[in-house]
Structure formats: C-alpha cells, structure tokens
C-alpha cells in the first residue's frame, strides 16, 4: 500500500502535462466526467495504460492548485482489514502538514517513478505487481514522504500532526485505533465513530479547497476499507472528486481446480464489493488498446525503432506495455531485425505474455492453446475438439482481455504475442495432440490437411503431396497467406531423402511467400533451401523471393545480392531478374540513380533477349524513373517502351509498373486532373485483385495528388488508408507517413504534419531508405517554414539539398525543395544565397519544360524583390504568378501566392488590395478544403512580405519605419526590444553573436535609434 500527499507531479516551471500517447480524447472525456459527476472509474486490461491516464489527470489537477491524494493498493492489502483506509488517513495527515508547493521536498526513500509505463510496477496489473515490496508513489516520482514507510509504520504520527484535533473524542479514538496509534480494545473500534471520523476528515480537507483522490488498484481494497470509503464519499462535498483505477479480475477465487461449480468460479459474489460507489455507465471509462499509428508514436516517444510499428502492434494488440516490451526486445537484439525475419519475442516481452496467461486457470490455458493452434478458432470448434467447457473458458479469457468473442463464436486473440507464447511454451506432445484433435473436427479439407501435417514430426511424401495440393486450393481461393504457409509446410513435410523434390517445394514456398508479402515465410524457406545442396538457379529464386518481401529495408542485404549475382552467372534470365533488384537497391539503399539506371538498362536488355517482356517492362520502368531523376531527355521514350510491353503482357502486379510511373510523371508535371482520373480508374482494379503493395502505392499517390489539387479531406482519407494497410502488412511506415505529412499540411494540421514528417524521417533512417529520407525531410522543412520556424526549416532543407546533390538528382519537379530552401534563406536574411539557389536550378527547369516548378521560383523571386524594396515589381510578379497557378489547376499554390501578394500589398500600404488578395486566397483554400491554409489566410498579414512563410504576427499594425526591415531583422528587433541579450537572441535564432551584432547595427541605422530602449519604443504601434 502506498500513498502520496499533494505535491508537485511535474518539475517546477513545466507547463501543463500532456496526455499520454493516443489518450488526448479519453483524458478530455475523463475531465468532463469528473466535472459533471465528480466520480470516474477507469477500467481495462492489465498494461493498457490506466495508471498513466490517472497520472495525467492528477498532474493537471495539481497544476490547477488542487490537493491530490494518491492511494495505490497491492494484492496483499485485500487480506488486511482497514489497510486502505489507514493509508488514506495517513496521506491526509501528510497533506495538511506538508509545506506546500514551492517548499523543499524531502529526499525520496523509494526509487523514483520511471517515466516509462513498461518499467513501472503497476499494482493494479497482476502481472507486474510484486506483493513483497512497497511501491513508490506513482504520481510524483517520490516516496510517500510522511505516508507509510516500507516497514508499514506511519511517520510522523497521524494524531501528532494536529489534523484531527477537532474530531470528537470517540471518532478520534477510532481513527487512532485504525492507524495503530492507540491500543485496540477487546471489542475493536467503534464502527460508527470510525465511519463518521473518516467522513469528517475528508470533508475538512475538501473545505480547504478542491481535492482529487486517485485510488489505483481499487480491486485490491479490503472489504472494511471499501465500506468506510463508500460511506465517507457518500457524504463528501462536490469539491472532493475521485478517480478509481480498476483491472477486472475475471477468474474469481482458486484457479485450479475450478471447484464444485465451473461457471460460478468465474463470477465474484458481489460485482460492486470493492467499488467505492455504484458506478453508472456515465462514470465508467474503458481504456482501449492503442491503434497501430499510436503504437508507432509511442515507440518514437520512447526512442525505440518505429519501422516495425505494424508488426509490433499486431504482436501487442495495441497494449502499450506489451508494445514497449516488444520494441525493447528488437532494440536490444544483437543484430537489427529485418522485415524478412521473425520478431524477436524474448526476454521481457515473452515474460509479460506468460504472466498475463499465467493468471488464467489451467483449463482456460488448455482451451486457449487449442484456439492458438486453430486457423479459424471458434468456441464451437474448441468444444468439439475435446474441451466441453470451451465456451466458459473463452468467456473468462475474454473478461481477462486475452481474446475477443464475436457473436458467431469466432475467437480472436487480442495480441499476437499471446498465441505465439502459448504455442512456444507448449511441448511437442501438447501441440501434436491439439492439431490431431482439430484435424478430426474442422469442416474444411484444406485446414484438416494442415492440422494433420502439423500433428506429426515424421516427413511423409503422401502427406506432403496432400499439403501441396491444399496450397494450390488456397491459392485458387485467393488466400495467398494460407497458400504460402501450406507451401512451406509441404516442403518441410517432404522426406529428406527426396532432396530434389524438397528443394523444388522450398523454391515454390519462397515464391508463394513473396506473392503473399510474407517476409517471415520467405526467409524460412530460403534459409532451409540455402542449407541444402540446391542448384544455383534455385538459390537465386529463393533469394529473390526474400528481396521482394524486404520492402524499403534493403540495407543489410548486400551479401544476398552478391550471392545472387554469383549464382546467376551463365543464366541470362536469372541475371536479368537479379539486375532488376539491384537497380531498385542502388536507388533506395545506396542513393545512386546513375548506377540504378545502368543496372535497369542491362536488366531490360537481358530480359528482352530471353523473350521475357514482364521483366523487361519492369526494368524499363525503373530505368525511366532514373532517367527522369537525372534530367535525361530519353525519359518519355523509355517509359513509352515500358508501357507498350506492359499492355501486351498484362502483368498481374502493377507496383512500380509503367502505368503508375506515368501517373506520377503527370503529378510531377502539375497535370493533376489527368493523374487523378487515370489513377481513379486503376484503383478499384488493384483493390479487387492486386497486392497490398499495389494498393499502398496507389493510395499514397492519390493522396499526393489531392494534397495539391483538393479536396484535401480526401487526401487525408487516402493517406490514412495507405498507412493502415502499411501497418497491417508489417511494412516500413516511412513512405505512408510521408504521404500523410503532405496530406496534413494541405488539409489537416501543420502540427500533425510535422509529427508525421519526423516519424517518416526516423523510419527512413532506420531502413536506410535514401529516397524517402530526402522526401520526408522536405515535407518537414516545408511545414517548419510555413509555421514560421525559419531556423529549423533552413537546417532541414539544407540537409535535403545535400542529400539530393549526393544522389545526383537533377529534375527539380520530383521534389520541389529548391523554392522552399530559397524562401527559408530569404527569411533568414540571406537573400543573395536564395537568389543563387534559384539561379542555379532555373536553367534546368527551363530546359526540361517544368513550367509549374518555374512558377514556384517566380513566387520566391517576388519575395526577394520585396525584400530589396522593389515592392511594385514584386506585386506585379505575384499577381501574374497567382493567375498562372490558377490556370494550371494548382489551387493551393495559387492561394500561397495570393497570401504573399497580400503581404506585399500591405507593405505598399495598399490595405484594400491586401484584403482583396487575402479574401481571394481564403476562397481558394475553402473550396479545396485546405483548413490550415484557410486559417493562415484569415490572419492579418504582417508588415513584411517575407512573413508569408509563417503565421505572421496576426493583428499587429506595421509602422512605416518597420517596413524597411527584412523579416529576419524584424524578428531580431522584436526579441531585443523584449529584453533579450545578444547571446539570448543568438541562441533563439540559431545565429552567432557576431551575426546578431551586425544585424542590430543595420536595424539601428534603418530605424534611426541608438539604444535598446529607443528600439523598444520604435517597435510600439
């Protein structure tokens, strides 16, 4: 039992505590419930984050100046009458005598509370609670202070605190007995006096101001304390609010055996026995698992690799503690876990799963093992397979949060780690018996063959042939994942003496896994094959299957490429296939488009010589992509050749195909309507019969198109679908996060856009994906610039510049970072460098005919003109640029040019023209659904043209003298005018002190001031 009196829940000076990851809406709802009802019960499975949510609410209450009491129980407290009530009384005593916020806090006597929820021992969670130790305060990171010490004694004494001097004698005596500060009479304490005494204590505390009482682990409160607290809270004033944290106990008393009544063993005698009030639906808040994207954010928040976020979400079921444990298992692995490898589910992750499962009675675990072995588990199936109490077992497991039961009885484990742990920990005899029982009762012959094969460890050719036939059936049904599993099972069931047949089946299994995007199965098949005496061609095909399932994660597979090249020597068709994969690797992992183009061209030539139009079309598509990046005039001819081969061949897959590249080229060229129409016709076909990679690429491309064309709400929806499919498939989320960052920039929130862009940067760095690393940094730098964070934007965009130059990318239409970098340079008072960036790339854009790119350059050039004081020329150029953007069908770019025009017009002191431009921009953004840009257009423009990069200083009147300052000078002037020293201003603006001094000299000259005081006066409207 631990308690915490009111004390700081966060470091002094820190702002309001943010909500835990993914819990913003739930925390807001909790605050609404407390405000309206004064009581809230947080409930949910162990490890889901209930305590974290309560901590966040307690921190916010403390920030408002409320008294916070934290009462955390342990399982052993339930057997000690009055333990919880005594601890609460001690906590109140400590609160009243506590010196208060701002006073020195005693040194902690317990380990500080870890910020990581996976490391904190949560007494409300049975799989982490340790009954042999006293936990430190969960709210503060400190011990209970004057609360209970590890030995169980209260220090200082409750009565000595003087808190209860006004209690009547009998009540005072009863409280002293409860807290063991007075001898207990033979008849015990007076129950009525004790009830009234505790009620009076809480009323007195609430009379001093608002109080929040948090009871963490309410299910462990002893019956006497529950009765006392129910009475006290019933009489408590509204100023006392209560948050109770509960982990439901689904199994009841003794687990093994069930006892006389199997069903009754799972039901507590009184469902409200430990509740502090009878909760209504309005009081109860179920804390759900996190979504896959929230798990990714959680991993990033804890500095763990996020590239496996989808697979970690599946393994953890969205349980934050399990997800962090799995993430740490991956981070602690000796070598990085590749997408084509099974997750490292060992150590703490596996232990947590065992503890969750270990809380279940043995019969429940036996039923769950059958469900884990089944392909489509259901209550009926496990009952027929020899578990007559299967329905009751599964119902208990559902109450424990281990499985979910649908109305038709189908069973789904809440976390993939649970069935894998059940199977992992079961002995061979248990697994074999389970599969044998299931084989007798399943109604699908494909599943029956699967179970029969898994029930035996003796290879058998007849059985292997049956499994191979079942794989063909599954493929014909469109169940590629099952077909891949069965193909591998057929290979593993083939007797070793028939080496040729086993190798052939392993090759089939690897290629089947590649079609199903099952990287783990492809790796298993390839590993088995490569350990055998397979021929070069078979080794190449197996390795290619692994490469095809690696997604963006091609780094670390160099050895596989080398061996594939060696084994393909003398086989033209296979060499063409290997060169095609190398072409992809050279650009993604190595960032070398020149080498990629060469490899793709060689692959296309080899494939054509062998009459392989499909490989030739794919290779020509990669070549065309590289030709475009390198600014080659042959791009269209190569792409047309690929399209012709593709139309004749009609390949099953379209990922990285010529059709998609044609659409992307239209996107690069600004022909957005054409791109959207062609993609819209293709998407339904892919969703119906294409692979998941096809659908992801199409949805991401569509989101990019709509992010520029509108409607921006559709861009958000399609980017969200792309991310969901990516995480579900276990692929690297970097590309999907990039698409979502663009969509959020266009139609959602600049803050969320920056968050997704940062995630994409991290995932791309983890994968070694050079292409999407540049793209995600561009997305981040762009939103930083729009938000007015010029220093950060400049740093990010300079890195994009370095990346793109290192990769020899020439065509400015594929990633439009040049205009953003130039604008950031201008905003940082580096106008000459900004003009140099534009001057360097403009001839390339003109030579390649990139008209819409040139329009972006014109917009930034106009800002440079305005910064030089040539506002008339700037306004004229911006007016024409906005019109041309409109004719090109680029509404968001048009609106951005209009915002810049409004700021220039205001600088020209043409308020009516400025307002007209803003109104026109707002209309454009409103029609496109560009919410953040609409909000930006609604702000009153600042005094300088360059301030169009950010939110401006909304509402501020610009003095005539200030119009002579550049944006960078104006920002520095305001900082210094507010009292910042040169050193402070330099740190804030990421400048050297010498640069600040030189810039201040120019500011003083322009404003005709000689001191900081005069500068502050000149800045006042």
């Amino acid at each position: 039992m631990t308690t915490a009196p009111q004390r700081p829940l966060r470091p002094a000076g820190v702002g309001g505590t943010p909500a835990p990851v993914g819990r913003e809406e739930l925390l807001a709802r909790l605050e609404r419930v407390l405000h309206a009802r004064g009581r809230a019960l947080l409930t949910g499975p162990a490890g889901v984050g209930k305590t974290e949510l309560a901590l966040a609410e307690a921190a916010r209450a403390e920030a408002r100046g409320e008294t916070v009491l934290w009462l955390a129980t342990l399982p052993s407290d339930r057997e000690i009458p009055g333990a919880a009530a005594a601890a609460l009384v001690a906590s109140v005593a400590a609160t009243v005598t506590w010196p208060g916020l701002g006073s020195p806090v005693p040194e902690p006597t317990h380990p500080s509370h870890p910020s990581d929820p996976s490391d904190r021992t949560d007494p409300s969670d049975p799989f982490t609670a340790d009954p042999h130790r006293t936990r430190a305060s969960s709210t503060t990171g400190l011990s209970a202070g004057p609360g209970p010490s590890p030995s169980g004694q209260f220090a200082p004494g409750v009565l000595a605190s003087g808190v209860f001097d006004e209690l009547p004698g009998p009540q005072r005596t009863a409280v002293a007995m409860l807290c063991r500060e007075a001898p207990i009479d033979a008849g015990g304490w007076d129950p009525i006096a004790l009830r009234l005494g505790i009620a009076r204590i809480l009323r007195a505390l609430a009379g001093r101001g608002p109080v929040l009482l948090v009871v963490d682990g309410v299910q462990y409160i002893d019956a006497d304390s529950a009765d006392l607290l129910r009475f006290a809270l019933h009489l408590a004033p509204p100023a006392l609010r209560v948050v109770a944290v509960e982990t439901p106990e689904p199994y009841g008393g003794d687990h093994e055996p069930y006892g006389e009544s199997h069903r009754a063993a799972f039901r507590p005698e009184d469902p409200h026995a430990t509740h502090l009030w009878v909760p209504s639906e309005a009081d109860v808040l179920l804390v759900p698992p996190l979504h896959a994207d929230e798990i990714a954010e959680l991993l990033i928040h804890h500095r763990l690799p996020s590239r496996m976020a989808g697979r970690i979400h599946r393994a953890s079921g969205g349980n934050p503690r399990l997800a962090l444990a799995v993430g740490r298992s991956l981070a602690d692995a000796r070598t990085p876990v590749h997408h084509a490898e099974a997750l490292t589910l060992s150590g703490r992750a596996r232990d947590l799963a065992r503890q969750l499962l270990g809380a279940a009675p043995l019969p429940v675990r036996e039923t769950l093992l059958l469900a884990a072995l089944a392909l489509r588990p259901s209550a009926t199936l496990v009952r027929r397979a020899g578990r007559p109490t299967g329905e009751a077992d599964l119902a208990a497991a559902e109450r424990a949060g281990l499985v979910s039961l649908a109305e038709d009885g189908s069973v789904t484990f809440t976390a993939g780690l649970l069935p894998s742990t059940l199977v992992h920990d079961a002995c061979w005899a248990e697994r074999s018996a389970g599969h044998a029982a299931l084989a007798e009762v399943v109604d699908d012959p494909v599943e029956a063959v699967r179970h029969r094969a898994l029930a035996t460890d003796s290879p058998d050719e007849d059985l292997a042939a049956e499994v191979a036939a079942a794989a063909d059936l599954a493929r014909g049904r469109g169940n590629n994942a099952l077909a891949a599993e069965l193909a591998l099972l057929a290979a593993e069931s083939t007797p070793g003496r028939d080496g040729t047949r086993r190798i052939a089946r392993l090759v089939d299994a690897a290629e089947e896994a590649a079609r199903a995007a099952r990287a783990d199965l492809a790796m298993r098949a390839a590993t088995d094959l490569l350990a055998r005496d397979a021929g070069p061609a078979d080794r190449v095909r197996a390795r290619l299957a692994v490469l095809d399932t690696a997604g963006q994660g091609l780094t670390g597979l160099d050895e596989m490429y080398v061996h594939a090249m060696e084994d393909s020597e003398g086989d033209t068709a296979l060499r063409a296939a290997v060169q095609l994969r190398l072409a992809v690797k050279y650009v993604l992992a190595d960032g070398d488009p020149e080498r990629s183009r060469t490899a793709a061209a060689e692959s296309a030539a080899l494939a054509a010589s062998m009459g392989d139009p499909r490989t030739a079309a794919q290779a020509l598509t990669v070549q065309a992509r590289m030709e475009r990046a390198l600014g080659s005039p042959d791009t269209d001819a190569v792409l047309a050749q690929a399209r012709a081969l593709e139309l004749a061949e009609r390949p099953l897959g379209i990922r990285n195909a010529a059709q998609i590249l044609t659409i992307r080229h239209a996107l690069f060229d600004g022909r957005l309507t054409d791109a959207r129409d062609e993609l819209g016709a293709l998407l339904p076909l892919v969703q119906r019969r294409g692979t998941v990679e096809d659908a992801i690429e199409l949805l991401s491309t569509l989101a990019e198109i709509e992010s520029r064309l509108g409607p921006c709400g559709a861009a958000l929806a399609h980017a969200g679908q792309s991310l969901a499919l990516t995480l579900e498939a276990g692929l690297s989320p970097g590309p999907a996060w990039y698409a979502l960052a663009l969509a959020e920039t266009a139609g959602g929130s600049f803050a969320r856009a920056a968050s997704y862009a940062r995630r994409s940067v991290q995932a791309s760095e983890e994968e070694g994906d050079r292409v999407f690393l540049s793209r995600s940094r561009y997305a981040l730098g762009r939103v930083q610039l729009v938000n007015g964070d010029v220093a950060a934007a400049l740093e990010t965009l300079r890195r994009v510049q370095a990346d793109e130059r290192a990769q020899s990318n020439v065509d400015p239409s594929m990633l439009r970072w040049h205009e953003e970098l130039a604008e950031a340079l201008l905003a940082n008072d580096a106008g000459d460098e900004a003009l140099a960036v534009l001057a360097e790339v403009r001839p390339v854009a003109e030579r390649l005919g990139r008209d819409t790119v040139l329009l972006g350059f014109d917009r930034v050039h106009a800002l440079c003109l305005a910064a030089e004081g040539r506002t008339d020329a700037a306004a004229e150029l911006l007016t024409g640029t906005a019109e041309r953007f409109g004719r090109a069908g680029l509404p968001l770019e048009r609106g951005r040019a209009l915002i810049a025009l409004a700021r220039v017009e205001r600088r020209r002191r043409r308020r009516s023209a400025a307002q007209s431009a803003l109104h026109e921009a707002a209309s454009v953004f409103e029609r496109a659904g560009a919410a953040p840009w609409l909000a930006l257009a609604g702000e009153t423009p600042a005094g300088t043209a360059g301030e169009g990069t950010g939110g401006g200083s909304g509402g501020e009147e610009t003095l005539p003298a200030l119009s002579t300052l550049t944006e960078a000078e104006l920002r520095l002037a305001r900082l210094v005018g507010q009292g910042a020293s040169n050193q402070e201003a330099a740190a804030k603006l990421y400048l050297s002190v010498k640069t600040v001094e030189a810039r201040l000299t120019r500011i003083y000259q322009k404003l005709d001031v000689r001191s900081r005081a005069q500068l502050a006066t000149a800045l006042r409207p």
Side-chain angles (χ1 to χ4, degrees):
M1 171 72 64
T2 60
T3 60
Q6 184 258 15
R7 63 182 68 199
L9 300 173
R10 55 189 168 80
V14 177
T17 302
V21 172
R23 303 303 189 195
E24 293 81 3
E25 292 183 7
L26 190 57
L27 183 57
R29 183 182 166 203
L30 172 60
E31 293 194 317
R32 291 195 300 270
V33 169
L34 287 174
H35 178 75
R37 305 181 63 84
R39 306 285 185 269
L41 174 64
L42 298 175
T43 185
V48 80
K50 305 178 295 295
T51 299
E52 285 296 304
L53 194 64
L55 277 169
E57 176 56 29
R60 292 188 176 188
E62 182 268 335
R64 294 190 294 265
E66 299 180 18
T67 298
V68 175
L69 300 176
W70 188 280
L71 182 64
T73 63
L74 295 172
S76 57
D77 295 333
R78 190 160 40 191
E79 308 303 324
I80 305 175
L88 179 62
V89 170
S91 181
V92 173
T95 299
V96 173
T97 57
W98 194 256
L101 290 176
S103 300
V105 178
E107 287 297 319
T109 58
H110 297 280
S112 62
H113 162 64
S115 61
D116 186 330
S118 72
D119 291 337
R120 190 185 66 251
T121 301
D122 186 346
S124 68
D125 292 344
F127 67 98
T128 59
D130 183 354
H132 302 294
R133 71 172 182 172
T134 301
R135 185 168 65 92
S137 162
S138 293
T139 58
T140 64
L142 302 171
S143 72
S149 67
S151 64
Q153 302 299 318
F154 295 98
V158 170
L159 298 184
S161 68
V163 174
F164 312 123
D165 290 346
E166 297 183 2
L167 287 179
Q171 296 177 19
R172 180 182 173 88
T173 300
V175 170
M177 290 182 181
L178 174 70
C179 297
R180 304 304 192 267
E181 294 200 5
I184 301 178
D185 295 340
W189 53 63
D190 183 341
I192 295 178
L194 184 57
R195 277 185 163 209
L196 294 173
I198 291 181
R200 188 161 183 166
I201 289 169
L202 292 180
R203 289 183 65 88
L205 181 62
R208 299 164 60 92
V211 178
L212 177 67
L213 169 62
V214 180
V215 183
D216 189 7
V218 69
Q219 73 274 10
Y220 296 134
I221 291 182
D222 62 280
D224 289 356
S225 294
D227 180 66
L228 288 169
L229 293 177
R230 269 194 298 270
F231 179 81
L233 294 178
H234 179 68
L235 299 180
L240 175 62
R241 300 175 301 141
V242 184
V243 174
V245 179
E246 172 195 59
T247 299
E249 294 185 282
Y251 304 118
D254 263 349
H255 293 170
E256 307 175 53
Y258 283 149
E260 188 173 331
S261 173
H262 175 74
R263 295 179 185 277
F266 296 112
R267 292 198 297 264
E269 296 178 3
D270 179 2
H272 302 306
T274 60
H275 286 167
L276 305 183
W277 70 94
V278 178
S280 69
E281 287 296 324
D283 303 334
V284 180
L285 282 76
L286 175 65
V287 182
L290 296 177
H291 297 300
D293 192 40
E294 293 165 339
I295 288 294
E297 185 179 353
L298 181 71
L299 294 170
I300 292 174
H301 180 74
H302 288 274
R303 301 176 183 274
L304 293 172
S306 63
R307 63 192 179 91
M308 299 275 191
R311 297 178 68 186
I312 292 174
H313 179 262
R314 286 204 306 271
S316 66
N319 184 296
R321 182 172 298 154
L322 282 177
L324 291 173
V326 175
R328 286 198 174 83
S329 294
L330 299 180
D332 294 341
R334 292 185 177 180
T335 57
V337 178
H338 194 269
H339 283 285
E341 299 173 342
L343 292 182
T344 305
L345 299 178
S346 59
R348 181 166 174 77
R350 192 70 82 182
D351 288 341
L352 289 179
R354 290 188 182 109
Q355 290 166 8
L356 275 173
L357 294 165
L362 178 59
V364 173
R365 296 199 299 273
E366 291 174 345
T367 296
L368 290 175
L369 176 59
L370 266 182
L373 295 174
L375 199 60
R376 292 179 297 134
S378 68
T380 301
L381 181 64
V382 296
R383 187 185 71 247
R384 291 175 178 172
R387 301 299 306 168
T389 59
E391 283 91 346
D393 294 339
L394 292 170
E398 184 180 41
R399 288 193 292 272
L402 302 178
V403 300
S404 61
L405 292 172
E407 291 186 6
D408 62 358
S410 60
V411 179
T412 304
F413 282 89
T414 55
L417 187 56
L418 299 176
S420 74
T421 299
L422 283 164
V423 174
H424 177 275
D425 290 352
C427 68
W428 161 249
E430 291 173 322
R431 297 197 304 271
S432 177
H435 281 300
L438 289 167
E440 296 296 326
V441 297
V442 293
D443 56 5
D444 182 1
V446 172
E447 294 182 35
V449 171
R450 172 182 177 270
H451 286 300
R452 284 198 292 113
L454 291 171
T456 179
D457 61 349
S458 300
D460 181 273
E461 175 53 33
D462 292 338
L463 181 59
E466 287 188 64
V467 178
D472 293 336
L473 283 174
R475 186 187 311 111
R477 296 174 181 176
N479 191 340
N480 292 332
L482 178 57
E485 180 188 350
L486 290 172
L488 180 57
L489 186 56
E492 293 173 340
S493 300
T494 304
R497 62 179 178 272
D498 193 353
T500 302
R501 184 170 294 172
R502 183 176 179 115
I503 288 172
R505 284 176 176 159
L506 285 171
V507 173
D508 291 341
E511 293 179 339
E512 197 69 59
R515 283 190 288 271
R518 285 294 305 271
D520 54 338
L521 298 183
M523 180 62 85
R524 273 178 56 188
T527 301
D528 191 347
L529 182 143
L530 294 173
R532 299 180 181 276
D533 189 19
D538 292 330
R539 293 198 298 268
V540 171
R541 291 171 63 190
R543 288 188 172 107
L544 292 181
V546 173
L547 295 174
D548 288 344
T549 58
Q552 309 300 118
L554 300 178
T555 303
L557 296 177
D558 289 352
E559 186 177 347
M560 192 162 289
Y561 286 103
V562 170
H563 288 307
M565 284 291 289
E566 291 175 351
D567 287 337
S568 65
E569 184 71 33
D571 190 324
T572 304
L574 285 178
R575 176 55 64 93
V578 175
Q579 286 286 2
L580 173 59
R581 273 70 173 189
L582 278 171
V584 175
K585 185 250 187 190
Y586 288 148
V587 65
L588 285 182
D590 299 344
D592 191 341
E594 287 273 11
R595 200 174 180 191
S596 175
R597 177 174 64 178
T598 301
E602 182 178 347
S603 174
L606 291 173
S609 71
M610 294 301 296
D612 182 358
R614 181 174 301 180
T615 301
Q618 293 173 335
L620 287 169
T621 301
V622 176
Q623 182 185 348
R625 191 187 300 270
M626 297 304 101
E627 299 282 7
R628 172 101 188 197
L630 295 169
S632 169
D634 299 331
T635 300
D636 292 339
V638 174
L639 183 55
Q641 188 180 355
R643 283 294 301 271
L645 288 173
E646 195 169 78
L647 290 173
E649 176 61 21
R650 295 190 178 183
L652 295 176
I654 59 170
R655 184 172 182 264
N656 289 329
Q659 294 97 318
I660 290 293
L661 187 57
T662 301
I663 294 171
R664 292 198 63 81
H665 283 189
L667 166 64
F668 298 151
D669 293 338
R671 295 180 285 109
L672 302 183
T673 303
D674 294 343
R676 183 179 61 185
D677 292 345
E678 188 171 348
L679 196 152
L682 197 57
L683 182 58
L685 172 65
V686 172
Q687 290 176 323
R688 203 163 50 242
R689 67 185 187 191
T691 66
V692 65
E693 289 93 339
D694 299 341
I696 288 170
E697 183 165 7
L698 283 173
L699 288 167
S700 295
T701 300
L702 185 55
E704 287 187 55
I705 293 169
E706 290 165 338
S707 294
R708 298 179 63 193
L709 181 62
C712 297
L716 287 167
H718 289 130
Q721 292 176 40
S722 174
L723 177 61
L725 288 176
T726 297
L727 295 175
E728 183 180 348
L731 300 174
S732 174
W737 278 335
Y738 165 72
L740 199 49
L742 296 182
E744 286 286 352
T745 302
S749 155
F750 291 146
R752 287 196 300 271
S755 174
Y756 282 120
R758 289 189 181 92
R759 294 189 203 179
S760 183
V761 168
Q762 177 171 328
S764 300
E765 287 176 334
E766 292 170 4
E767 296 285 15
D769 185 343
R770 301 284 295 277
V771 171
F772 274 94
L773 181 57
S774 285
R775 293 183 185 180
S776 53
R777 281 176 175 162
Y778 157 75
L780 176 60
R782 182 167 178 256
V783 76
Q784 287 171 333
L785 183 62
V786 173
N787 265 331
D789 191 355
V790 175
L794 185 57
E795 180 182 357
T796 303
L797 292 168
R798 281 193 186 280
R799 298 186 72 175
V800 176
Q801 181 186 41
D803 290 342
E804 291 294 292
R805 285 179 173 174
Q807 297 176 55
S808 304
N809 287 330
V810 174
D811 193 328
S813 68
M814 297 183 69
L815 195 65
R816 304 189 175 206
W817 57 268
H818 304 84
E819 63 180 278
E820 309 296 346
L821 174 59
E823 187 169 353
L825 288 166
L826 176 64
N828 204 53
D829 202 24
D832 291 343
E833 191 176 353
L835 290 171
V837 168
L838 297 180
E840 180 184 4
V841 73
R842 185 182 288 274
V844 178
E846 291 173 345
R847 174 176 61 83
L848 297 175
R850 309 302 185 225
D851 294 337
T852 58
V853 173
L854 292 169
L855 288 178
F857 293 170
D858 287 343
R859 180 185 64 82
V860 180
H861 185 242
L863 296 178
C864 293
L865 293 175
E868 295 170 357
R870 300 164 61 187
T871 54
D872 292 346
E876 182 180 356
L877 181 55
L878 284 170
T879 300
T881 300
E883 291 175 355
R884 289 192 293 275
F885 270 133
R887 290 196 298 269
L890 301 172
L892 270 69
E893 281 91 339
R894 179 186 174 213
R896 193 174 179 186
L898 288 169
I899 287 181
L901 175 61
R903 297 186 186 281
V904 171
E905 293 290 12
R906 187 174 179 84
R907 186 168 179 181
R908 297 170 73 198
R909 306 191 62 77
R910 299 182 60 197
R911 295 173 180 264
S912 176
Q915 204 65 25
S916 175
L918 273 183
H919 286 162
E920 188 176 355
S923 178
V924 168
F925 292 139
E926 187 173 15
R927 286 195 298 271
W933 293 93
L934 180 60
L936 195 63
E939 297 177 358
T940 303
T944 63
E947 288 182 275
T949 59
S953 52
E956 180 177 323
E957 287 293 331
T958 304
L959 299 175
L962 298 185
S963 65
T964 62
L965 301 181
T966 67
E967 181 192 354
E969 291 170 345
L970 186 57
R971 282 201 311 276
L972 175 60
R974 285 172 176 157
L975 278 176
V976 173
Q978 292 166 3
S981 67
N982 288 0
Q983 289 78 8
E984 291 169 340
K988 181 75 173 177
L989 298 175
Y990 299 93
L991 300 172
S992 68
V993 175
K994 288 186 177 180
T995 300
V996 168
E997 292 171 350
R999 196 170 290 178
L1000 270 178
T1001 300
R1002 293 198 300 272
I1003 292 170
Y1004 280 19
Q1005 292 171 348
K1006 290 182 178 181
L1007 299 184
D1008 194 24
V1009 297
R1010 291 180 173 81
S1011 68
R1012 291 173 183 260
Q1014 290 180 354
L1015 176 61
T1017 301
L1019 292 171
R1020 297 192 190 112

